[in-house]
Amino acid sequence: MALNGEDGKELWRYYTDHEIFGINCNADLNSDGVNDCLGGGRAGVFDAVNGRTGTLLWKFKDKLVKNSIMNLYTAHIIDDLDKDGILDVLAIHGGDPLSEPGSKHRLSGRIVFFSGKSGKVLSWSGVPDEKESYYSPQVLTKSDGTKLVLFGTGGETHGGGLWLLSVNDLFYHRLENAICIFSDPKKGIMTPPVLVDLNSDGEEDIVMSLFNSHVIAFNGKTYSQLWNFSIPSSESYNTPAPGYFNDDKIPDFLIKFAHGPGFPIYYFSETAILDGRNGKSLLGSPILDTMGAQASPLTISIEGYGNDVFLFWVSDCENHEGQEGKYKFVKGTNIHEQSRSDFCRLRFKSRGYSKLLAKNQHMASTGIDIYYSGKRKHLEHQGWINTTKESIDYIKSHPDIYYNFLQHQKVIGNAEKNKNISKINKIPELAERNNGVHVDKKVYYPSKNSIRTQIEIEKVQRIEKKLKLDQTNLQKIHDKAKRIKRHVGPHDDDGIQRLLSTGTLAPTTLDNTHPNYNYSIDVVFATYWFFPAKTQAILPKDQVCISEKMDDEKARLDVLSKYYGLNHDEYERVITKECLNESDHELPQDETYESQSTYNPYNIHMGQMTVYRLRLTMSCKKSKPNEHCSRVLPFEEQQWTSYMGNKGDSHWKPRFMK
């Protein structure tokens, strides 16, 4: 979706086959003077969209290369390899989302070169170690002009490596020349780095926040480690944000890590700022939040050294800010439902909230609030659309869909769908009457003497008789839809936020004659709330209860016991439920949830996205007569404005001080 930067009005909208993970809009692929967008996502989706009109330019279709299970991520714009006058594209095709965590076999990642003009696959290769890959690749240009592709392999529960191979070798499948500069046997290399020269040797170094508890700076010339910062028992999906936090001339890094056994169960999250010289923490104590956010931070570049401002997200629980504490989910809860849980209510019977914070060395404590979801709740719910009601209205006007609806509701039992149901689609109007579908045959069948028409009538009559459409179930769903609309508000059904969108900086909309023009910049970001899955968490006190009863498991062998006859798994399930009932932290029954166990394609409760453009204006207190407030650098001089840098390629834009 493209929005007008001036007023937020929609310019165009483009629908993809599946969800999109990464977008790169930094190349004009059709020579019309406007940059176009490359969107990579789930199930092999990779589309090039016209930036001016929102229409499709091309999509990834090569059946010999495309695997409909594997994903694509943020693409990289590269040189014009096929010499057609349009820049070409490099992307990773990988990931194995259908496999269980820790499963032995995974689909091997592929590195693909696409024609930017047509989308044709120019060349592709499997990754050297045959591991899975979730990585967005980069290109490093060495001082001698050699261009190297940087890519990672492995996943959340499978080891992998960080690899380098020249563009030329990769294009011509010479994988034996690939260099592995780092490997991890336990967890993969998934998070894009920052490419920046830390040691002033003329080569870009590699600063990477690894998924497995480390931030490492690699020498861009020798690939040895410059420094290594460790946060034990943590994971990170975040790319660091570079900026001048202290007063030296080497950029520092804001990082964010989550502590816990692994996605999606994290006990708390930690934000730290590392000295670019040695990797040591520059904060007296880290900034903690209870839930954490997966959105990567940004940097506002300010005049002088030591004035840059980091923008980063935190996600917390009311009255339990930064609180740690172990928990786990009831056995059998799948990862999808775990990730969509209302963690604050499950753990603390509290409400969650999100903040976007601004922090530099001159600000006390955690920084300044730029956005606080608690103050925006009304705005972010007022445009909510009751999608259940929309679904019911659609079903009422489309009887062919109505059949599928009733079949899903099991109103017609296991009746086989009549192959001739498609005939109903050809009838312009199909009104619902009483308990069945009524067809006005006088209007739509002009001659009863026609053998063909009579056959059609008889077929429809058989369908009518077989369906026996019952309006009761439709009314129940309709009543539920009205209840949802009525209950959206502060008492229940608030939904929960998940923060994945990093956002982007944008030039100030102030006139250049405005006194705050040189001290302002805008930030654009999206928030989204949705209804949680109905899950149950086991807290420490619950675990004590469960452990005590499991120690007395012999009770299920006692003929006088209420547990008699249960096997081990049944006994564990029963006593777990008993302990959770005793602790009284089960979620209410009468609220709105969206769970796989109760999934209904005709009754999906959607949330709402809100896109903001906020103006940030800097101010300071002058302590001496000859001092002045540092200005915000012009937008074209900003150094890290969005996810993976200004152009989505992980390169930090150098600053040339006057």
Side-chain angles (χ1 to χ4, degrees):
M1 181 184 295
L3 305 180
N4 188 316
E6 183 177 8
D7 55 19
K9 291 183 179 179
E10 182 177 325
L11 298 176
W12 53 255
R13 181 182 303 202
Y14 174 80
Y15 290 95
T16 60
D17 295 332
H18 294 281
E19 64 182 298
I20 295 294
F21 297 142
I23 297 177
N24 189 330
C25 301
N26 288 289
D28 182 2
L29 303 179
N30 60 354
S31 302
D32 67 350
V34 176
N35 280 356
D36 304 304
C37 295
L38 292 159
R42 193 175 298 282
V45 167
F46 191 53
D47 295 358
V49 179
N50 188 312
R52 185 186 296 274
T53 65
T55 55
L56 178 69
L57 295 176
W58 53 259
K59 63 169 50 188
F60 180 22
K61 291 183 177 180
D62 193 324
K63 294 181 180 179
L64 296 178
V65 184
K66 181 177 178 178
N67 184 313
S68 60
I69 294 177
M70 299 196 300
N71 310 319
L72 285 103
Y73 306 93
T74 304
H76 188 93
I77 307 299
I78 58 173
D79 294 337
D80 179 14
L81 300 179
D82 58 2
K83 308 301 180 183
D84 62 0
I86 300 294
L87 294 175
D88 293 319
V89 179
L90 176 66
I92 291 282
H93 183 30
D96 196 350
L98 298 184
S99 294
E100 290 295 322
S103 59
K104 184 176 181 180
H105 300 289
R106 291 296 179 107
L107 296 173
S108 177
R110 301 171 180 179
I111 311 174
V112 187
F113 291 92
F114 295 89
S115 166
K117 185 175 183 178
S118 66
K120 176 184 176 181
V121 173
L122 302 177
S123 173
W124 74 276
S125 300
V127 294
D129 56 4
E130 299 183 346
K131 304 280 189 178
E132 60 186 330
S133 182
Y134 300 84
Y135 193 88
S136 299
Q138 292 79 43
V139 173
L140 275 167
T141 302
K142 310 300 289 183
S143 56
D144 63 0
T146 302
K147 295 191 175 184
L148 304 176
V149 178
L150 181 71
F151 59 95
T153 61
E156 288 98 334
T157 58
H158 289 73
L162 182 62
W163 296 82
L164 275 170
L165 182 62
S166 75
V167 171
N168 194 53
D169 282 342
L170 182 57
F171 191 85
Y172 290 105
H173 318 294
R174 294 190 285 261
L175 299 183
E176 67 275 9
N177 294 330
I179 300 172
C180 183
I181 65 175
F182 180 82
S183 64
D184 186 327
K186 299 295 184 181
K187 297 181 181 181
I189 311 301
M190 300 182 292
T191 309
V194 179
L195 304 177
V196 53
D197 186 0
L198 294 179
N199 54 8
S200 302
D201 65 353
E203 300 280 4
E204 286 182 310
D205 303 308
I206 304 165
V207 181
M208 177 169 284
S209 182
L210 300 177
F211 190 66
N212 194 6
S213 306
H214 293 271
V215 181
I216 301 179
F218 297 95
N219 187 308
K221 183 175 291 186
T222 65
Y223 310 124
S224 60
Q225 293 186 20
L226 296 174
W227 48 258
N228 185 331
F229 178 81
S230 176
I231 303 179
S233 302
S234 67
E235 295 178 345
S236 177
Y237 288 93
N238 305 93
T239 294
Y244 294 111
F245 184 79
N246 60 13
D247 297 329
D248 63 36
K249 297 182 180 181
I250 299 175
D252 309 303
F253 301 90
L254 184 140
I255 62 168
K256 197 169 184 70
F257 274 81
H259 292 260
F263 178 82
I265 302 177
Y266 297 119
Y267 304 145
F268 69 100
S269 182
E270 175 178 348
T271 302
I273 298 175
L274 306 183
D275 192 324
R277 296 174 302 171
N278 51 32
K280 294 182 178 179
S281 177
L282 292 172
L283 297 180
S285 58
I287 300 169
L288 304 181
D289 52 319
T290 308
M291 292 189 293
Q294 295 181 20
S296 296
L298 303 174
T299 308
I300 301 175
S301 301
I302 308 291
E303 182 183 18
Y305 293 110
N307 297 321
D308 285 359
V309 176
F310 291 121
L311 300 181
F312 64 100
W313 289 94
V314 297
S315 189
D316 243 317
C317 300
E318 290 181 356
N319 303 316
H320 296 272
E321 284 76 5
Q323 184 171 330
E324 305 175 24
K326 294 184 177 181
Y327 69 97
K328 63 182 180 180
F329 286 94
V330 171
K331 186 179 294 185
T333 308
N334 63 51
I335 288 182
H336 176 79
E337 295 212 339
Q338 291 179 25
S339 67
R340 295 178 63 88
S341 295
D342 189 340
F343 296 104
C344 290
R345 293 189 73 176
L346 290 175
R347 297 174 64 188
F348 308 115
K349 296 184 180 179
S350 176
R351 293 187 182 277
Y353 66 86
S354 304
K355 286 184 177 181
L356 177 61
L357 299 177
K359 171 70 176 174
N360 75 0
Q361 68 166 328
H362 307 297
M363 299 175 186
S365 187
T366 59
I368 297 173
D369 294 0
I370 300 301
Y371 162 90
Y372 168 48
S373 63
K375 293 183 178 180
R376 305 273 183 170
K377 185 173 293 184
H378 175 71
L379 173 66
E380 294 178 359
H381 284 72
Q382 67 180 9
W384 180 76
I385 296 174
N386 189 332
T387 48
T388 299
K389 183 178 182 302
E390 281 192 335
S391 176
I392 298 305
D393 291 341
Y394 184 82
I395 290 169
K396 284 184 174 181
S397 60
H398 293 75
D400 53 325
I401 302 298
Y402 193 13
Y403 175 91
N404 294 331
F405 165 75
L406 291 174
Q407 188 178 49
H408 188 276
Q409 301 303 314
K410 299 181 180 179
V411 174
I412 59 173
N414 296 320
E416 181 182 359
K417 184 177 180 181
N418 192 297
K419 295 180 180 179
N420 296 303
I421 192 69
S422 60
K423 300 297 182 182
I424 295 179
N425 295 331
K426 298 180 180 180
I427 303 173
E429 295 179 8
L430 199 55
E432 303 160 11
R433 294 188 182 178
N434 301 322
N435 292 325
V437 172
H438 173 78
V439 181
D440 189 343
K441 304 176 185 65
K442 291 183 180 179
V443 176
Y444 304 113
Y445 298 98
S447 173
K448 287 190 177 182
N449 295 324
S450 166
I451 296 177
R452 179 181 176 85
T453 301
Q454 187 61 35
I455 292 174
E456 297 291 341
I457 293 173
E458 291 174 357
K459 286 181 178 179
V460 172
Q461 288 174 338
R462 288 198 299 271
I463 294 170
E464 292 175 353
K465 184 177 180 180
K466 191 170 185 178
L467 293 183
K468 297 179 181 178
L469 299 179
D470 184 356
Q471 298 293 324
T472 303
N473 282 273
L474 185 63
Q475 189 60 45
K476 287 181 180 179
I477 301 299
H478 193 271
D479 292 343
K480 171 67 174 176
K482 291 192 293 185
R483 189 194 71 77
I484 294 170
K485 182 66 175 178
R486 183 175 66 252
H487 280 193
V488 167
H491 300 295
D492 59 29
D493 291 348
D494 283 339
I496 54 176
Q497 268 193 355
R498 285 292 181 270
L499 298 172
L500 298 174
S501 170
T502 294
T504 184
L505 300 181
T508 179
T509 54
L510 291 173
D511 187 88
N512 59 11
T513 61
H514 194 283
N516 288 332
Y517 176 78
N518 289 323
Y519 304 96
S520 298
I521 195 166
D522 294 353
V523 59
V524 181
F525 59 89
T527 63
Y528 179 74
W529 66 265
F530 58 88
F531 292 107
K534 193 172 190 298
T535 56
Q536 283 188 290
I538 297 175
L539 304 182
K541 63 178 181 180
D542 302 319
Q543 189 58 56
V544 171
C545 173
I546 293 170
S547 297
E548 289 176 350
K549 292 193 176 188
M550 288 302 296
D551 288 342
D552 193 31
E553 188 177 357
K554 61 181 182 295
R556 66 184 180 85
L557 304 177
D558 184 350
V559 294
L560 299 179
S561 170
K562 63 179 180 179
Y563 307 116
Y564 179 70
L566 299 179
N567 62 34
H568 173 82
D569 291 341
E570 291 170 340
Y571 176 77
E572 184 178 11
R573 185 164 54 251
V574 169
I575 61 101
T576 297
K577 186 173 183 179
E578 289 178 351
C579 290
L580 292 175
N581 288 338
E582 291 175 13
S583 64
D584 190 32
H585 62 255
E586 186 175 1
L587 294 176
Q589 296 290 338
D590 61 345
E591 295 190 10
T592 304
Y593 305 98
E594 189 60 42
S595 299
Q596 284 186 328
S597 58
T598 57
Y599 173 74
N600 183 341
Y602 304 99
N603 188 25
I604 298 177
H605 311 304
M606 305 294 285
Q608 178 181 323
M609 181 177 73
T610 305
V611 181
Y612 292 91
R613 180 168 186 159
L614 304 181
R615 178 183 300 137
L616 308 182
T617 300
M618 313 298 167
S619 63
C620 69
K621 294 181 180 179
K622 302 176 185 178
S623 59
K624 297 179 181 179
N626 61 341
E627 288 185 335
H628 71 278
C629 290
S630 295
R631 65 188 178 95
V632 175
L633 293 184
F635 185 75
E636 60 272 14
E637 296 180 27
Q638 291 291 316
Q639 299 172 276
W640 196 261
T641 59
S642 57
Y643 176 64
M644 293 177 63
N646 295 6
K647 295 184 177 181
D649 56 10
S650 288
H651 292 276
W652 186 70
K653 183 175 181 177
R655 182 183 301 189
F656 300 100
M657 303 296 291
K658 296 180 180 179

